[in-house]
Amino acid sequence: MSAVKSAEMRKTMEWEDNVRRVVPYVAGEQPKGENIIKLNTNECPYPPAPGVARLAAELDCSALRLYPDSGAAPLAEALAAYYGVKKEQVFVGVGSDDVLALAFLTFFNSGRPILFPDVTYSFYDVWAELYRIPYRTCGLDENWHIRPGDYRQPNGGVIFPNPNAPTGLLEGTETVEEIVRANREVIVIVDEAYIDFGGVSAIPLLKKYENLMIVQTFSKSRALAGLRVGFAIGNEKLIRYLNDVKFSFNSYTMNLPAQILGAEAVQDDAYFKEVRDKIVATRERAKKTLSELGFTFPDSSANFIFASHKTVPAREIFEKLRERDIYVRYWDKPRIGNSLRISVGTDAQMDALTAALGEILEGK
Ligand SMILES: *Cc1c(COP(=O)(O)O)cnc(C)c1O
């Protein structure tokens, strides 16, 4: 047999031995079509602030000739003013996934395992694997709550969302503070992707704790998932370290339109609150109808509900909804394999969901 042939027959080629192999994060489907009801990725069902469309139409394209501000200054300044912190305390990224990925690279280098909940945002273990950061998961209790005592073991850092995803459950500021206080030698990241829908941000704790970093996104409550804007707030030194890594990776990640339009979305606080209040009202209405249909769920403080039915398996409901062009999120995973994560849409979308569920569950 020729050398070429035998090399071909080996399971992998030699060059593949040195590939960084990863199992990528799987995002929710993005189905295309007119009459689809998309309740699977927690996007906002309403458009962004009207000023965003106005500024997009007025955009001076000759400005695109130049590189944008590498620190996204217009946006960082708007966020600093909004949250009452210094602009040096704000780091802006291309979605909070970008911010979180850079934070893993910057802060989790001790070689000790980082800690996060067993049921949580499914990107955390992907980044840990990508960067070869050891990690350990801490089991949520039987009511899906974080047990703060679990975060007292030796570790190389902590990350958790608050409210948690996909449960939607909010932890009180005391629980967050307890975890931050117990871990002063490492960085604790609180991922507040859903905090605007009913929680109290941990931002005030930054005055007391240097090891805390808070991450938020424009993708959910600010209706700008397509623009890709996320940010972190922390003490100046920590944000400087994050910027050093970012500038060593790719300086100009956030394009000029995103900086301008993102800043505009922050300015229009009245619109932001109006949309948020509408979503919260629809969520509370959806909790009632889902209960009437025989679902149980943790009491969500987010823009989604994590529901399981008392008799019908989640997978079956997921598939039957999909046949009707209604998309919700389902994971075939331990602990959560009988739950559906249903994003809160408009009242009309939720009514259509209720009607479809009524048919699917009839007689069951
Ligand atoms: C949606 C989400 C993010 C990331 O959102 P971006 O669109 O990248 O800003 C981060 N964390 C959690 C928990 C999320 O649900």
Side-chain angles (χ1 to χ4, degrees):
M1 200 188 291
S2 76
V4 173
K5 187 95 191 235
S6 67
E8 253 172 28
M9 286 175 65
R10 283 226 301 267
K11 243 181 147 180
T12 56
M13 302 299 285
E14 234 160 86
W15 61 265
E16 287 180 281
D17 294 346
N18 297 312
V19 168
R20 185 178 292 260
R21 293 195 202 203
V22 285
V23 181
Y25 170 76
V26 183
E29 280 177 272
Q30 293 290 351
K32 301 277 177 284
E34 287 278 305
N35 297 314
I36 279 167
I37 296 184
K38 194 171 174 305
L39 305 173
N40 68 337
T41 49
N42 300 342
E43 290 138 328
C44 180
Y46 304 105
V52 172
R54 184 172 39 76
L55 281 188
E58 287 170 4
L59 188 75
D60 171 14
C61 287
S62 69
L64 298 177
R65 192 173 59 77
L66 302 175
Y67 283 107
D69 186 279
S70 62
L75 187 49
E77 281 162 21
L79 285 166
Y82 187 82
Y83 290 103
V85 296
K86 295 191 220 158
K87 72 172 191 303
E88 292 78 17
Q89 290 184 265
V90 181
F91 175 88
V92 182
V94 183
S96 56
D97 287 340
D98 179 45
V99 178
L100 291 165
L102 283 167
F104 271 56
L105 186 59
T106 309
F107 300 119
F108 296 157
N109 295 295
S110 69
R112 288 189 298 275
I114 61 165
L115 305 177
F116 47 82
D118 63 339
V119 174
T120 196
Y121 187 36
S122 52
F123 223 138
Y124 300 155
D125 58 344
V126 174
W127 286 313
E129 298 278 353
L130 173 65
Y131 295 132
R132 296 171 188 158
I133 299 165
Y135 64 93
R136 192 174 296 153
T137 59
C138 303
L140 297 178
D141 72 15
E142 66 282 6
N143 299 314
W144 304 108
H145 275 290
I146 287 176
R147 292 182 296 204
D150 290 350
Y151 297 83
R152 291 184 175 276
Q153 56 183 308
N155 67 71
V158 174
I159 179 163
F160 60 92
N162 196 37
N164 197 6
T167 63
L169 261 192
L170 180 76
E171 301 295 342
T173 314
E174 327 71 56
T175 302
V176 175
E177 181 162 8
E178 188 179 339
I179 295 171
V180 177
R181 199 187 321 117
N183 287 285
R184 296 184 107 148
E185 325 72 61
V186 297
I187 298 297
V188 177
I189 302 176
V190 184
D191 180 352
E192 294 188 336
Y194 302 102
I195 198 72
D196 294 327
F197 299 107
V200 178
S201 173
I203 290 173
L205 290 181
L206 290 172
K207 291 210 175 73
K208 276 167 82 179
Y209 300 98
E210 273 205 1
N211 60 315
L212 171 63
M213 186 174 95
I214 291 149
V215 177
Q216 293 190 12
T217 174
F218 283 37
S219 297
K220 280 82 183 217
S221 58
R222 293 189 184 275
L224 285 169
L227 197 63
R228 309 307 299 130
V229 180
F231 62 96
I233 302 185
N235 74 76
E236 285 176 58
K237 196 159 139 198
L238 178 154
I239 294 299
R240 210 178 315 124
Y241 281 127
L242 196 54
N243 266 313
D244 287 346
V245 169
K246 179 241 161 93
F247 293 138
S248 309
F249 192 81
N250 180 356
S251 307
Y252 302 108
T253 48
M254 182 172 283
N255 63 61
L256 179 67
Q259 296 185 25
I260 295 171
L261 304 180
E264 175 59 28
V266 179
Q267 308 300 348
D268 195 344
D269 201 39
Y271 181 83
F272 166 70
K273 289 183 169 143
E274 181 193 322
V275 165
R276 178 202 61 192
D277 291 349
K278 262 201 290 195
I279 293 168
V280 168
T282 305
R283 177 188 73 207
E284 295 308 309
R285 205 170 68 97
K287 284 178 186 174
K288 287 202 190 84
T289 42
L290 287 171
S291 297
E292 284 159 17
L293 285 163
F295 286 93
T296 55
F297 40 83
D299 193 19
S300 171
S301 295
N303 67 337
F304 56 83
I305 297 171
F306 192 54
S308 48
H309 193 262
K310 60 182 192 300
T311 51
V312 185
R315 179 197 283 278
E316 185 182 328
I317 301 172
F318 167 74
E319 282 165 0
K320 292 198 166 145
L321 284 173
R322 207 164 175 280
E323 285 164 16
R324 290 166 167 80
D325 276 342
I326 300 177
Y327 289 75
V328 299
R329 195 84 199 267
Y330 169 73
W331 292 272
D332 188 3
K333 279 193 183 173
R335 276 198 95 175
I336 60 171
N338 197 32
S339 298
L340 299 170
R341 193 196 63 190
I342 305 167
S343 306
V344 176
T346 61
D347 279 326
Q349 288 177 319
M350 298 318 269
D351 289 346
L353 172 77
T354 307
L357 287 172
E359 285 171 30
I360 294 166
L361 300 170
E362 199 173 354
K364 305 222 176 175

